[in-house]
Amino acid sequence: MKATRFLQWSAWLSVFALACADRPIDSCVAALEAERYETAVEVCTPIWEASGDPAAGEAVVRAHYGLGDQDAVLAWWSTLRDTPAEGRAAALAARVLLGRGEADAATDAFARAAELQVAAEEWTEAAKSLYGLFYIAWDVGAYRDALAHAHAAAEAAERAGDASLRSTALSGLFTIHYELGDLEGARHAAEAAGELETATDRAYGFSYVGTLRLDEGRPALARQALETVLELATGEEDRRFFRSTHLNLVRAHLELGDVDAAATHLASAWEHAEPEGQEQSALLSFQARVAAAQGRHDDAAQTLREALAQDPHDDWRWELALQLGDALAVLGDPAAAATAYEQSMTTVEAMRRDLGFDELKPWLLVKRREAFEAAFALAADDRRRALEISERAKARTFLDAFVDRTAASTEIAERMEFLEALAPALQSSPVAGLAPVAEVLTRTRDHHVLSYVRARDTMWLLVVTDGEVRVRKLSASVDEITTLVDRLVAAPGEGAAAWTLGEWLLPRDVLPVAGTPIVIAADRPLDRVPFAALLLRDERFVVEDHDVRYVPSVNALATMLGRRHDGKGTDLIVAGDAVGD
């Protein structure tokens, strides 16, 4: 009885409060602001019907949205068309449509809302609608539109003087630039976020800066930015934010050689782990890295097996398998290491076929070749297996170079759309489609091929001729070779560099008799070397004794020769863009 009487008094007081309002519309707005949505619908609807007051119409649609009455929201958007209240109604309708998975209709609604809100200079609401357009465009892969909408949302938020909305828009700008491999654009967004007013917004800005510094190979500057993040954090940020920050600090300290500091931040990252049962690939990967840095390779291997058993996403699977291969190699189990490397390579190859965002990041393209390089070094004594792995690495490297160069020649917003259209052609190229090793050796038996392979810090040479392959490790390290290549490219007439490179890259026993052409399949950094201009031991230029021909890989040569022998092709003319313009 007391409960019933209390409800009666509460209802009466609500009506009394509304009755005391100066005007009917004031009662309507008061109910909405008090989040008494049912009352707002009851009070505001007759006001709209009687007067057409746009404030009442907007209050009704907002109240229905608050009640979760989606059909009513859509109906009221139709009712309020071409009235001053349509902007807010369209924005709410867009959210309803987006929740229903109707992206195209939601895009139209957000676009209408933004158009009306910008025209009315309602910058706060315009920023929200423009961000909604960014979100949809990003989600459906319309990257040019996503970039334009994120810029417009940031500008509207700035006009509104709303730092929180500007922070959200800058986050979108950072995301799209970073994911499309544009570090310069991402840096501008990160720096702008770092200048916002609230400590939380600045913390996010510095977290972006720290991420960029790591990817640029500048761990000391990354550590500085990430430590600033923790100083600015207010505790309002979610656990993922703190976990990510501490893991990035683990990476920075490991690259700086401070294992103890890395272990401390790893422990802090675990404190912000997701509930048990959710994927923990990042945490387990860094846990294994710290264990390996501490010399606990058994613990690292066990942690990595646990992570792989969780069926992680491919973005983590390739790296976890690579780490496991490295740990097993150190532990003296080459067979198991080879299996792990193979899992990593297979995953990377599958990701290239899918052409995900990470395929546009130059710093990741280089890193993802590590599994191929590690597997090659492990298999160097097995000549045919070494050739197979080197050809897989070269196929990926060729595509990486093509993607990187073509992406750099287009506007950032066009990168993904362009490369998605290009992907089928790339995958069907003679370099990407790998033939069996036996077939490659048979087709190239009448040629003398020198295939150079970079495997981490070491350069290897595969001599492919007469249906056989020989493998030898070059005497100079990759760093030593790179230094001389830089000198030769900067001063092509420098005899000392040409002489030393000739000695390192072309040992006497790998060259055929004078007059025999040689085919070069180079690898970084040798793809910049003019082999014809190198000096041999008798002070003759290579070109004086051998015609020099270049191919991306032994497999590419075999494929072209096979097409000619099969009558499916004619003599080929292959042109290359020598200066990259």
Side-chain angles (χ1 to χ4, degrees), residues 66-88:
L67 291 169
D69 191 346
Q70 298 183 355
D71 291 336
V73 171
L74 297 178
W76 272 91
W77 176 31
S78 179
T79 299
L80 295 171
R81 282 186 187 276
D82 300 322
T83 74
E86 185 188 353
R88 179 66 67 89

Side-chain angles (χ1 to χ4, degrees), residues 212-476:
L212 293 174
R213 296 291 184 249
L214 283 173
D215 290 330
E216 292 169 341
R218 305 166 77 181
L221 290 175
R223 178 185 61 188
Q224 180 180 349
L226 294 165
E227 287 174 347
T228 302
V229 171
L230 296 179
E231 293 171 4
L232 291 170
T234 61
E236 298 176 5
E237 302 81 4
D238 60 24
R239 65 171 63 235
R240 181 179 179 180
F241 173 80
F242 285 104
R243 184 172 68 251
S244 174
T245 301
H246 283 293
L247 288 179
N248 278 334
L249 278 165
V250 172
R251 178 181 164 189
H253 283 294
L254 285 177
E255 292 181 12
L256 292 168
D258 190 344
V259 181
D260 290 339
T264 298
H265 284 289
L266 177 64
S268 297
W270 274 108
E271 292 175 3
H272 298 282
E274 296 294 341
E276 187 175 354
Q278 295 194 22
E279 185 179 316
Q280 297 176 333
S281 298
L283 285 163
L284 293 172
S285 174
F286 280 98
Q287 181 173 310
R289 292 186 204 184
V290 170
Q294 294 171 334
R296 297 184 294 108
H297 298 287
D298 277 323
D299 291 341
Q302 180 57 37
T303 297
L304 293 163
R305 289 191 183 97
E306 177 186 341
L308 287 166
Q310 294 182 358
D311 191 24
H313 191 276
D314 284 351
D315 286 341
W316 280 108
R317 185 189 305 279
W318 75 268
E319 189 164 2
L320 293 166
L322 171 60
Q323 288 180 258
L324 179 58
D326 287 343
L328 294 169
V330 172
L331 292 170
D333 190 347
T339 300
Y341 289 143
E342 180 61 37
Q343 181 181 10
S344 182
M345 291 188 292
T346 302
T347 303
V348 167
E349 288 166 338
M351 294 171 75
R352 161 44 52 83
R353 288 191 293 271
D354 293 340
L355 199 66
F357 288 127
D358 288 342
E359 298 302 307
L360 298 176
K361 299 174 183 173
W363 61 95
L364 264 182
L365 297 183
V366 173
K367 183 172 179 57
R368 285 187 176 163
R369 214 187 95 133
E370 286 187 19
F372 298 87
E373 296 184 11
F376 174 87
L378 197 64
D381 291 335
D382 183 344
R383 293 174 296 172
R384 292 201 170 198
R385 173 64 173 163
L387 177 60
E388 177 209 337
I389 295 172
S390 72
E391 288 300 291
R392 291 167 70 181
K394 284 179 180 288
R396 177 172 175 83
T397 301
F398 174 78
L399 296 179
D400 288 347
F402 197 85
V403 168
D404 188 36
R405 180 60 55 87
T406 51
S409 68
T410 58
E411 293 294 329
I412 180 64
E414 298 175 356
R415 285 188 178 187
M416 197 67 179
E417 290 136 328
F418 175 71
L419 291 170
E420 282 179 338
L422 191 65
L426 285 175
Q427 299 301 344
S428 62
S429 78
V431 187
L434 296 171
V437 170
E439 185 177 323
V440 169
L441 292 174
T442 298
R443 288 181 177 178
T444 59
R445 66 180 305 113
D446 295 331
H447 293 71
H448 195 93
V449 186
L450 303 179
S451 179
Y452 295 87
V453 183
R454 174 176 179 159
R456 289 183 167 170
D457 298 327
T458 305
M459 188 67 71
W460 297 74
L461 172 58
L462 282 69
V463 183
V464 180
T465 189
D466 297 326
E468 298 293 337
V469 56
R470 287 184 286 149
V471 182
R472 68 180 294 166
K473 181 193 236 180
L474 297 186
S475 58

Side-chain angles (χ1 to χ4, degrees), residues 123-124 154-166 197:
W123 298 115
T124 297
E155 182 180 345
E158 187 169 8
R159 292 193 178 201
D162 192 316
S164 178
L165 284 175
R166 186 159 181 253
E197 295 178 5

